[in-house]
Structure formats: structure tokens, C-alpha cells
Amino acid sequence: METLLSRTLNGFPTFMCFWTVFCSGCHGGEMDFIFDAESYGNIYSNKSNLNGFCERKMKVSSMDLWSVSTEDVIAEFPIDPIKENYVRRVKSCIFSLVYPTPFTSAVQLVAVSEDVLENLLDLHLSVAETNAFLQFVSGGKTMPGSVPLAHRYGGHQFGAWAGQLGDGRAHLIGTYINRYGERWELQLKGSGRTPYSRSGDGRAVLRSSVREFLCSEAMHYLGIPSSRAASLVVSNDAVWRDQFYNGNLKKERGAIVLRVAKSWFRIGSLEIVAQYGEIDLLRELVDFIIEEHFLSISRSDPNKVLAFFSSVVSQTANLIALWMSVGFAHGVCNTDNFSLLSITIDYGPFGFMERYDADYVPNTSDDGGRYKIGNQANVGMFNLNKLLVALKPLMDTRQRQLASQVLGGFPDLYYQRFTELFRAKLGFLGEREQDLTLIASFLNLMEDTKPDFTMTFRQLSEITREQLQNLSIPQEYFALYDLSQHKKFPDWVALYLQRLKSSPGDSDPERRQRMTGINPIYVLRNWMAESAVRKAEMNDFSEVHLLQKVLRRPFHAQKIAERAGYSQRPPSWAKEVKVSCSS
């Protein structure tokens, strides 16, 4: 078993879990061939380089002046010929035509994202006050030109092939090209049954919808690629859920989130057509994804599938390293939840780690701890291997061999990005040989003392060099104070201060400013989301709005957030909060 950190760490035990241990046989030796994803361009393209850019296209103040369409995908792919909405195995298509099911009770708007409405969808914020908008985002009204679709995909769930999955409670209601030329796909989640609902009712409950709305926006403002949430509505329709699968069925309220992403295609989108031998359709889908979202890869390039795979490998390594840098555990890292654009999607039983623990599992449904935070990179590599299996029919023997080498380089890509991020979190400029020792030993100290992950890095960002040198840690810096109780903390501080001094001209105020710009003070902890959910279930949406406001500026101390205790030790009841796959 080879670890990514096999070096001797100056007497500190090597902390393998958080750096990630990769299974033997997956990580080969030196590679003869590596695709550099940057040579193919970043899939998150600069606005100024996009066709159709039009600054003069203004935000609209009426839904009558705004439209979306699904014509691009309908024109590109075969659509399920069966139009009736019943659960079935669907073949030889990418989408089924199916309309949302409106709620039967009155619908209430809980929250909107001003940024998404105004800067992604070109809608003036006043539109959100109209009944037309409420009908649109609750599935009660279909826009002219929109033919709602449910996406067919499969996936490996908890390591096993689960067969056909698909959008069982989501509807793609249109694509919108905004004033920057950006293409955004709009999807309602919780909008009713589809052919892919299996035994489900096609609904989402308020509890999970509040969490998805808040976390997708929070991740965006943390600088982590993510789907966005435009709106959240709630009804009085009864939705029955056994939240913890213990026989305790409970009536909850149905809710819908309008989600926005550049694309909702995921690894499972390719797996399903490959598994059932629909190779022409697989080729058609891959060509479409490359042409729409990987703009630097030419459709005529004979190595385009290899280039596409290489880019996904690189971007997935980056995404998981970013998750780790803020202590985020996805909770359900199945292949049907891994975006081909390497953005965070499908927020279910996620969690931001509080007490530092590489074995942290946010999902009570994950009995075996497969998706614990310290295993996310391993799971990422497993999922990318399933992507490679799906793509192999489109590659010749040589390309398959090269793709296997690219996959073999995933641990190094992840390790490199992880190291870059944690260098920055510790305030280092440039690269020094001792950086790896300092990072790993700091994580080892955290493993032993289990301080709050977010606040340890934040308080290290705020404390002065003089306080560190004197080992004078104020008790209000509770996380760093907990860490300082470790007997090896003074030794680490001495090495840390010596490393900081190795960057001439770098002042302590500059170091602190730099670190507070990358180490957040606020993340969406499960207890914070739970507090907002409990109030929302009583029709009090004040904490949803408060968290929405606070999480837009996660790196800045805010009086309203401090009054709410968002940067303090969690309340005593926080350890009782549990989340599951039920939503």
C-alpha cells in the first residue's frame, strides 16, 4: 500500500487518511504520456471569449419578455418515443419528454438568489415578486418554447452498478443564453414523477431543499465550482418520508429548487448508454458535450475523446482538492452524482467537517463509511475509472493505453493541487522543500487534538507572529488554543515561523490578509442548516435569509453572523444532528 506521503516527516507520524491512500495497482510508476488539461483550456471559460456576447442585452422586468428553450438538445438527440409518464426502462435515448406536476396547494416563495437571477438569467430582481415567476419556478407554468425533459442516466452507487437511475424528480425546463453568451441549463428539482422515479413520488421536501439551496450558493462564494440555486419554493402538499429509514414515517412539506448549471451531464450519463451497447448514441453524446463545454477540443481531433477524458481527470482532482481545503464531504459520491464538468452537484447528505476527523462521514445511510471525507480522492479515482470504461468503445487500443496512463496520474494531480491549496492556507509564498513536512505535521497535530477544522485555519490566519512566537494563544481563539495543547505544537510553530521568514519582504499584516482571503470564517455547518430548517418548517424563513446573506461573504467577519454564533463552538445539540439520503 503506497501513500502519497511516503516521506519521513521529522518525527511526526505520517498522516495518511487526509492526504488519501490510493489502492495498490491504481497508481503506476513514471508515465510516458500525460495530457495537460490546461492545454485544452479551462471548461469554465472566460466570458469575453464566448460567442454571442452582448452587453446591451439588459435585465428584463417581466417574464413575458424572457424565454428559455430545450430545442438544442431535442434537435441533437433522439427523444424517448413513449410520451406517457409511467415508470419503465427507457432505451436508446438521452431524454424523455415529461411535464412537471404542479402542487395542489398554495405555493410560497422562500428565497431567491439575486446573483443568479440578475447575472446568470438576466432577470431583474423585481420579477421574483410576480405570480408568473412563482408559477414558473414551482412547475405550474411552462414557458413558451420549453419542452420539459427528464434525463436518462445510470450509475455506480456505493461501488455497485445500479442500472437505470435518471431524473426521478427533476425536469430540465430549458436552456438560457445570457447577455455574456453563457449557456445555462435550468432544472426544477422536486417537480414530480418521471419515467425514472422508480418507487419514488418525484417530490423533494423542504428540509433537503433548504440545504441544497443554501449549500450550492455557499460553495459558489467559497470559490468551489458548483451548480447554483435560483429559487426555493414550498407548498403545503404532504410528502411522506422515513428520514432515517427506521420505520418512522413522517409527513413533510413538498418543495422545489430551481437549479442552474452549465450542464447536468454526469459520469452516469455515459455509463448507461455504454452499458447497454448504444455506441452510436454514446458517440453522439460525447461529441455534443465536447462541442458545447470543452471549447478548446476540436470535434475533428482524432484524439478528442482522450483529451476530454484527460480534462475531466484533471478537473476532478482539482474539485476534490478544493472540497478538502474547506473540509467539505459530499456524502454520496456515486458516479451519477459526479459531473462531467467537474462541478459540485446533487447536494444530499453533505457536511462540512467540524471537529477534525479524516473518518468523518456526513451520511447516516453510509454504514460502511465509503464516502468518508478522507476517502473522497479514492472514490474520485474509482468513478473516473468507470468513466474510462464507458469511453473505451470510442477509443482505439493506443488511446485506451494512454487514457489508462492519464488515470494513473490522478493521484499526483490530486496531491499537487492539495499541496498548493494547503500551502496557501498556511500563508506560504513560493515553494520550499520543508512545506510538505509542515503541512503534514500540522494535519497530524489536528488529527490528535481534533480542533474545529474551519476555525483552526481561520484563527491561524488572524493571530500575529508575535503571539505565535510567544505561544500566547488567546482562549477566544478556541480552535487554535485546542491545537496548542499538543506537546509538539511549539516545535511546529518554530518551524512554521522560520518558513514564513524565508520569504523576504513578506510582512505579517500581508500574511494575515492573504490567509484570511483563503480561509473562510463561515461555512454551512449542519447545525446551522438544521436551525434554518426547523424555523422554515414553522414558516419562519428568517434564518434561511440570514444564512444566505452571511454565506455570500464567507471570508469576512460579520456582526450578524457573530451574534448568531456562526464562528463559535457549536451548540450542545449540534452533535445530535444527522442527515441521510432521504430527501
Side-chain angles (χ1 to χ4, degrees):
M1 188 76 72
E2 181 179 349
T3 72
L4 293 183
L5 259 190
S6 57
R7 301 166 179 83
T8 302
L9 298 178
N10 292 350
F12 290 93
T14 301
F15 180 34
M16 298 184 293
C17 295
F18 205 71
W19 289 80
T20 303
V21 181
F22 286 89
C23 58
S24 59
C26 292
H27 183 191
E30 294 295 321
M31 292 182 290
D32 296 322
F33 182 91
I34 302 177
F35 267 88
D36 179 2
E38 291 185 3
S39 67
Y40 292 97
N42 193 320
I43 58 175
Y44 306 106
S45 303
N46 189 300
K47 294 176 181 177
S48 64
N49 293 331
L50 290 166
N51 294 327
F53 178 83
C54 181
E55 279 287 7
R56 292 189 297 274
K57 185 177 180 182
M58 304 300 290
K59 292 188 287 288
V60 300
S61 56
S62 170
M63 294 295 288
D64 293 334
L65 304 175
W66 186 84
S67 63
V68 295
S69 174
T70 47
E71 290 180 1
D72 55 347
V73 291
I74 290 176
E76 190 73 23
F77 301 115
I79 304 299
D80 182 4
I82 301 175
K83 299 300 186 287
E84 292 80 9
N85 186 9
Y86 64 92
V87 174
R88 59 186 181 273
R89 178 177 165 183
V90 180
K91 301 179 181 179
S92 303
C93 68
I94 304 299
F95 294 100
S96 295
L97 192 159
V98 58
Y99 282 79
T101 304
F103 289 121
T104 59
S105 63
V107 179
Q108 185 175 0
L109 183 66
V110 175
V112 297
S113 167
E114 179 178 346
D115 180 49
V116 174
L117 290 189
E118 295 200 326
N119 296 320
L120 272 58
L121 302 182
D122 298 328
L123 288 170
H124 193 276
L125 192 59
S126 62
V127 170
E129 300 173 5
T130 66
N131 184 63
F133 178 81
L134 184 62
Q135 289 299 309
F136 172 64
V137 300
S138 63
K141 177 184 178 182
T142 301
M143 297 291 292
S146 169
V147 179
L149 303 170
H151 176 35
R152 171 192 177 219
Y153 56 81
H156 280 80
Q157 298 191 326
F158 292 91
W161 174 245
Q164 176 180 291
L165 299 169
D167 287 335
R169 53 179 174 163
H171 294 77
L172 177 67
I173 55 173
T175 298
Y176 181 73
I177 309 296
N178 70 11
R179 65 187 184 274
Y180 302 112
E182 297 171 327
R183 178 185 184 276
W184 293 100
E185 294 183 0
L186 285 70
Q187 186 187 78
L188 295 177
K189 182 176 180 179
S191 44
R193 287 170 61 85
T194 77
Y196 309 100
S197 295
R198 294 176 287 171
S199 60
D201 57 17
R203 292 301 187 192
V205 297
L206 179 60
R207 160 177 49 85
S208 61
S209 300
V210 166
R211 288 169 53 82
E212 171 136 8
F213 177 85
L214 289 174
C215 197
S216 54
E217 290 300 283
M219 291 286 272
H220 168 74
Y221 289 107
L222 285 168
I224 298 175
S226 174
S227 59
R228 303 292 302 275
S231 65
L232 167 62
V233 299
V234 64
S235 73
N236 287 321
D237 282 28
V239 178
W240 293 89
R241 288 290 182 270
D242 182 358
Q243 183 176 354
F244 299 112
Y245 307 103
N246 57 7
N248 184 22
L249 203 62
K250 176 184 173 184
K251 183 171 73 172
E252 301 189 53
R253 299 167 71 191
I256 291 176
V257 176
L258 174 58
R259 311 194 299 178
V260 180
K262 292 287 184 66
S263 171
W264 293 101
F265 287 130
R266 66 257 342 256
I267 291 176
S269 303
L270 303 183
E271 284 187 287
I272 190 72
V273 290
Q275 282 276 350
Y276 294 123
E278 299 164 3
I279 306 307
D280 289 342
L281 189 55
L282 173 66
R283 182 176 292 104
E284 194 176 338
L285 178 55
V286 171
D287 282 348
F288 178 84
I289 293 169
I290 290 173
E291 187 169 284
E292 288 290 336
H293 304 292
F294 293 77
L295 304 181
S296 296
I297 303 176
S298 170
R299 191 166 183 171
S300 61
D301 183 351
N303 291 313
K304 64 186 176 185
V305 178
L306 179 59
F308 163 68
F309 179 69
S310 177
S311 184
V312 177
V313 168
S314 177
Q315 294 294 339
T316 299
N318 176 63
L319 178 65
I320 298 176
L322 284 167
W323 287 355
M324 301 294 276
S325 74
V326 294
F328 176 79
H330 186 283
V332 195
C333 295
N334 299 324
T335 58
D336 54 294
N337 294 331
F338 258 52
S339 162
L340 288 171
L341 270 61
S342 303
I343 61 174
T344 315
I345 60 172
D346 293 352
Y347 291 91
F350 65 83
F352 285 88
M353 178 173 57
E354 294 196 9
R355 295 186 72 232
Y356 183 81
D357 182 5
D359 292 326
Y360 169 62
V361 180
N363 182 1
T364 59
S365 304
D366 186 4
D367 296 329
R370 175 180 176 82
Y371 297 141
K372 64 185 179 182
I373 192 169
N375 200 42
Q376 289 188 131
N378 263 329
V379 171
M381 189 165 183
F382 174 91
N383 291 349
L384 289 167
N385 181 60
K386 298 306 176 185
L387 173 60
L388 176 56
V389 171
L391 290 173
K392 280 185 176 179
L394 306 184
M395 295 187 282
D396 60 28
T397 301
R398 172 184 167 276
Q399 290 167 338
R400 292 174 184 176
Q401 291 172 346
L402 294 175
S404 294
Q405 292 180 1
V406 168
L407 180 61
F410 176 82
D412 290 331
L413 291 171
Y414 168 77
Y415 171 74
Q416 178 182 351
R417 185 62 177 133
F418 181 99
T419 304
E420 290 172 354
L421 288 167
F422 277 79
R423 272 195 179 102
K425 287 177 73 66
L426 289 175
F428 299 158
L429 292 176
E431 298 180 12
R432 303 288 188 276
E433 187 175 345
Q434 69 266 37
D435 291 352
L436 303 179
T437 298
L438 284 165
I439 294 169
S441 55
F442 190 69
L443 296 177
N444 275 304
L445 295 180
M446 294 180 71
E447 171 73 356
D448 290 345
T449 56
K450 290 188 167 34
D452 185 276
F453 177 81
T454 299
M455 295 311 298
T456 297
F457 281 99
R458 179 67 185 199
Q459 290 165 4
L460 183 65
S461 307
E462 296 175 349
I463 199 167
T464 67
R465 286 191 194 182
E466 183 179 358
Q467 287 173 305
L468 276 176
Q469 189 162 353
N470 295 332
L471 298 176
S472 176
I473 313 296
Q475 289 198 24
E476 58 265 28
Y477 284 3
F478 63 92
L480 195 59
Y481 181 83
D482 291 348
L483 187 73
S484 71
Q485 303 308 298
H486 197 291
K487 64 181 181 180
K488 293 186 177 180
F489 182 74
D491 296 336
W492 183 86
V493 167
L495 292 172
Y496 178 66
L497 293 175
Q498 182 180 353
R499 168 63 175 89
L500 293 177
K501 290 178 182 177
S502 70
S503 298
D506 182 31
S507 69
D508 196 44
E510 289 172 331
R511 187 267 309 177
R512 282 183 282 154
Q513 182 179 24
R514 193 166 59 247
M515 290 177 68
T516 54
I518 193 172
N519 290 309
I521 189 170
Y522 309 116
V523 293
L524 184 62
R525 300 167 184 269
N526 273 336
W527 72 265
M528 293 157 57
E530 179 67 14
S531 178
V533 166
R534 291 178 183 181
K535 292 177 181 176
E537 288 174 341
M538 303 297 292
N539 271 341
D540 176 1
F541 306 124
S542 60
E543 193 155 15
V544 173
H545 300 151
L546 173 62
L547 282 168
Q548 189 183 0
K549 181 177 181 179
V550 169
L551 295 170
R552 281 200 297 260
R553 301 176 69 238
F555 302 100
H556 298 84
Q558 302 168 51
K559 290 181 179 179
I560 55 172
E562 294 307 301
R563 286 196 295 268
Y566 290 162
S567 69
Q568 304 305 311
R569 292 188 189 274
S572 58
W573 57 267
K575 60 181 177 292
E576 306 299 329
V577 175
K578 297 179 180 178
V579 291
S580 72
C581 289
S582 168
S583 60

